[in-house]
Amino acid sequence: MSALKKYWAIAWISAKSNLAYVSEVWSRLFFLAVILYVFMCVWKATFANNPAGRFEGFTLNEIVWYLAFAEAIIMSSPRVTPLVDEDVRTGAIAVQLVRPLSYPLYRLASNFGEQIVRFATTFFAAAVIAVVLGGVPDNFATGLLFALIVLPFAFVLDFLGYLLVGLSAFWFEDTTGLALIYSRLTMIAGGMLLPLELFPENFRLVLKGLPFAYIVNGPAGLFVHPDLTVLGMVLVNQLVWIAVFSLLVAAVYRKALGRIALNGG
Amino acid sequence: MWNKLFNYLGLAVAYFGFNFKAQLEYRTAFVSQSFAMFLNDCIWLVYFIMFFDRFNVLKGWHAEDVATLWAVTAAGFGIGHSLFGNSLGLARIIANGDLDGWLLYPRALLPHVVLGKMSASSFGDAIFGYVVYLVVVKPDLPHFLLFTALTCSVALLFLGFSVLTGSLSFFIGNGDSLSEGWRNALIAFSTYPMDLFDGKTKLLLLTIIPAAYVSGFPVEALRKLSLLHAAYSLLGALAVVATAAIVFHLGLRRYESGNMVAMRG
C-alpha cells in the first residue's frame, strides 16, 4: 500500500468512527446554539449603541456568520493532546513505533478525518442557527469556497500546535494545563470571539503576526469578506507557519524518541 | 438533625483534607493544572474587560462590574467542584456502574459520592475569584463578607446543577456529553450580564439554565449591597439542590449494578 493510501485509510476510519458518537454531536450542537445566541444578544446590544450600524466594515449579520464559522472551527478541533499524552504516559507510543507508519503522520491523518466530520456537522448546525438569527449573508457561495480552500491548512496548523503540546509529555508530568492555555490562545488570539479587525490597532498588528490568526480569523474572515488578495495572503502565511511548526515537531519528536526506554517482558 | 448536619460537615472537612493530600502526591500536576486555570480565567477577564470597554456594550457597566461577574462565577464554580469534585463526573460514574462501591458505605449515598474527589483545575478557579475580587474590585469589609457568602451560595448551585444534569444518566444511559453541554451553557450565560437578554431568555435563566442565581442576582447584590438580591440567589441555589436530590434519588431506583470487580484503595 502506498504511503498516501495508508494515511487516507486512517483518516477515513477516524471520520467513520466519529460519526458513531451521536450523543456527543448533539451535546456539541446544543452548546453551539447557546453560544451563538449569547453572542447574538451581546452584539445586538453593542450595535444598538452604534448609530453607524457597522464596526470596521462588519454588519451585525456578518458578525454573526463570522462567529458561527469561527466557533465551528474551534468546536471541531479534536483533542489530540490528551491522546498523545496518553500514548507517552502509558508507553503505547512504543507500539506505534514498530508499525510501518510515522507516528506524527498517523496522528495527523486520524485527526484530519475526525476534524472534517466534526466541522461539517458543527458548521451545518451553526449555519442553520445563523440563518434563523440573521438571514443568509451576501457572497455566501464565494465566501464558502474561499474559506474551504484555506480550511484544510488551518486544520493542519491547528493539529501541529496541539501535537507540540502533547509531545511535551516527554518532559512534563502533566500537559493538561499547557493544552488549556494553548486552546485559549487559539480562541482569543485567533479571533474566535472577536474578529481581529475589531481589536485595537497595536493588538491587531501583533495578533496578525501569530499563527493563531491563520487557524481561525483567516478562514472565518474570508467566509464573510471573500477577497482574492486576502486569500493569497492567508495561504502564504498558513504554509509558512506549517513549515515552521513541522520543523519544530520534527526536532522535538526526534529528541523525544531518545528518551524512550523499553523494557522487555 | 443538627448532630447529623455537623457530622456530615466533619465528613466534608475530612474528605477535603484527604483529597488535598492525594492531589499533593502529584504536586507538579496539581500546581500546573490550578495555575493554568488561574491563567485561563485571567486571559478571559482581560479580554472581556477590553471588550466591554471598547464597545460600550452596556451603559453603566465598568471594569469592576465585569471583574465582579467573573469573580463570583469562578469562585463559586471553583469552591463547588474543589469540595465536590465527583459531581463533575457523576454522569459517567452512573453510566459505568461505578456507584456500586459507594453503595456499600453506611453513609447517605449522594453527599458521600460527590465528596469523593477534588478537581485540581477548580482549585485555580476558586483562587482566581478571590484574587480578582480583592485586587481589581478592592472591596470594603461588608462587600467582602457578602461576596464570601455569595460564592458559597453559587458553589451550592453548581453542585446541585452538576448532580441534576449528571443524574440524567439514570434515565437516558450515558448522559456525560449532555451533562457537560448543559453545564457549559450555564457557565456561558453566567459570564455575561443578565441585562443583555430579553424577557423570555431571562425566564430560561431563572429555570432551565439557572444563570440568574450564579451571576445575575449576586452581581446586583454586590453592586447595591442588597441582601434581598443575595437572598434570591440563595433561594435559587437551594431550589436547584433540592431538585437535584429528588431527581438523583428517583433515578437511583432505576440504577443497575455494573457487576464490575475492582479494588478500591
Side-chain angles (χ1 to χ4, degrees):
Chain A
M1 195 187 278
S2 74
L4 200 60
K5 263 188 173 174
K6 273 191 299 197
Y7 296 112
W8 174 254
I10 292 166
W12 179 241
I13 291 166
S14 177
K16 278 207 296 190
S17 71
N18 201 253
L19 277 171
Y21 297 106
V22 180
S23 68
E24 197 270 338
V25 173
W26 282 114
S27 151
R28 189 155 24 97
L29 300 188
F30 169 66
F31 182 56
L32 176 77
V34 169
I35 282 290
L36 286 181
Y37 178 72
V38 170
F39 284 163
M40 178 75 184
C41 292
V42 172
W43 280 103
K44 256 189 175 171
T46 310
F47 270 86
N49 295 329
N50 176 19
R54 274 180 184 269
F55 281 108
E56 305 287 339
F58 280 88
T59 63
L60 177 60
N61 192 28
E62 284 170 351
I63 289 270
V64 170
W65 276 95
Y66 174 94
L67 296 173
F69 201 91
E71 193 68 42
I73 294 175
I74 291 292
M75 289 186 84
S76 64
S77 182
R79 296 172 182 172
V80 67
T81 304
L83 295 176
V84 177
D85 186 294
E86 195 183 333
D87 283 348
V88 173
R89 233 162 275 293
T90 60
I93 197 166
V95 180
Q96 302 285 355
L97 292 178
V98 295
R99 290 181 178 162
L101 293 164
S102 149
Y103 179 72
L105 288 177
Y106 157 71
R107 279 278 165 230
L108 172 65
S110 168
N111 185 81
F112 202 72
E114 187 178 344
Q115 194 159 9
I116 284 174
V117 171
R118 286 168 71 100
F119 179 81
T121 49
T122 314
F123 180 65
F124 178 74
V128 171
I129 297 163
V131 167
V132 172
L133 293 178
V136 181
D138 299 332
N139 305 318
F140 179 81
T142 323
L144 189 61
L145 176 71
F146 280 24
L148 289 181
I149 291 172
V150 296
L151 204 57
F153 300 102
F155 287 170
V156 173
L157 190 52
D158 192 24
F159 162 80
L160 289 170
Y162 279 110
L163 181 65
L164 269 176
V165 176
L167 287 175
S168 69
F170 277 101
W171 290 273
F172 297 128
E173 192 178 297
D174 182 74
T175 59
T176 322
L178 213 54
L180 179 72
I181 297 301
Y182 182 82
S183 74
R184 292 308 176 264
L185 283 175
T186 312
M187 286 180 186
I188 292 177
M192 181 197 82
L193 294 165
L194 183 67
L196 295 188
E197 290 74 15
L198 301 189
F199 273 80
E201 195 179 350
N202 44 355
F203 269 108
R204 182 168 64 224
L205 291 174
V206 174
L207 297 179
K208 289 253 178 182
L210 298 175
F212 311 109
Y214 306 101
I215 296 171
V216 184
N217 185 252
L222 278 167
F223 177 65
V224 288
H225 292 152
D227 182 289
L228 265 178
T229 320
V230 178
L231 174 70
M233 190 270 290
V234 170
L235 272 175
V236 168
N237 274 288
Q238 284 180 327
L239 292 173
V240 168
W241 278 111
I242 286 173
V244 171
F245 272 41
S246 300
L247 287 173
L248 271 172
V249 165
V252 171
Y253 184 62
R254 190 168 304 135
K255 199 140 182 113
L257 286 184
R259 294 175 65 91
I260 294 179
L262 292 177
N263 298 305
Chain B
M1 180 197 161
W2 288 108
N3 271 349
K4 207 169 183 179
L5 184 67
F6 282 116
N7 193 284
Y8 270 96
L9 281 177
L11 179 75
V13 172
Y15 255 108
F16 181 75
F18 284 134
N19 288 335
F20 194 66
K21 279 182 191 163
Q23 291 284 349
L24 288 182
E25 279 299 307
Y26 303 93
R27 197 175 301 253
T28 314
F30 175 68
V31 172
S32 76
Q33 281 182 37
S34 303
F35 180 69
M37 189 50 82
F38 181 87
L39 203 61
N40 163 64
D41 292 346
C42 289
I43 293 172
W44 282 122
L45 180 64
V46 169
Y47 167 79
F48 271 83
I49 287 178
M50 188 209 79
F51 184 81
F52 275 75
D53 183 51
R54 183 165 163 75
F55 294 107
N56 187 23
V57 181
L58 263 184
K59 288 192 174 77
W61 266 69
H62 306 290
E64 287 81 17
D65 300 313
V66 180
T68 304
L69 181 87
W70 273 79
V72 78
T73 306
F77 181 93
I79 293 169
H81 295 113
S82 293
L83 286 172
F84 309 103
N86 258 348
S87 61
L88 280 172
L90 191 62
R92 197 168 45 251
I93 290 173
I94 296 166
N96 290 348
D98 288 341
L99 279 184
D100 292 11
W102 296 99
L103 284 163
L104 299 174
Y105 289 97
R107 287 278 185 178
L109 177 66
L110 182 57
H112 198 199
V113 72
V114 292
L115 277 168
K117 194 177 167 188
M118 173 189 264
S119 157
S121 59
S122 299
F123 202 72
D125 281 320
I127 304 271
F128 165 84
Y130 275 84
V131 168
V132 161
Y133 197 64
L134 288 170
V135 173
V136 180
V137 183
K138 299 185 183 76
D140 52 19
L141 188 63
H143 275 92
F144 182 70
L145 291 176
L146 186 59
F147 175 79
T148 307
L150 285 165
T151 53
C152 294
S153 160
V154 174
L156 207 59
L157 187 138
F158 270 116
L159 164 67
F161 194 72
S162 291
V163 170
L164 179 65
T165 54
S167 300
L168 289 174
S169 279
F170 285 125
F171 304 94
I172 61 166
N174 192 352
D176 197 24
S177 297
L178 185 60
S179 170
E180 196 183 337
W182 204 350
R183 189 167 47 240
N184 285 340
L186 174 63
I187 295 168
F189 273 113
S190 301
T191 49
Y192 288 91
M194 287 297 115
D195 294 344
L196 287 174
F197 306 112
D198 60 19
K200 283 177 196 160
T201 312
K202 277 183 182 159
L203 186 65
L204 195 78
L205 302 184
L206 287 162
T207 51
I208 299 169
I209 304 174
Y213 312 103
V214 174
S215 60
F217 290 124
V219 170
E220 279 309 296
L222 287 164
R223 287 178 81 180
K224 297 173 180 164
L225 204 61
S226 158
L227 289 179
L228 184 67
H229 284 89
Y232 288 151
S233 174
L234 181 62
L235 280 175
L238 292 174
V240 171
V241 170
T243 312
I246 292 168
V247 171
F248 179 85
H249 285 98
L250 283 175
L252 191 59
R253 294 180 190 168
R254 303 162 58 97
Y255 178 70
E256 290 174 18
S257 164
N259 291 320
M260 190 169 60
V261 179
M263 294 286 286
R264 285 174 55 84

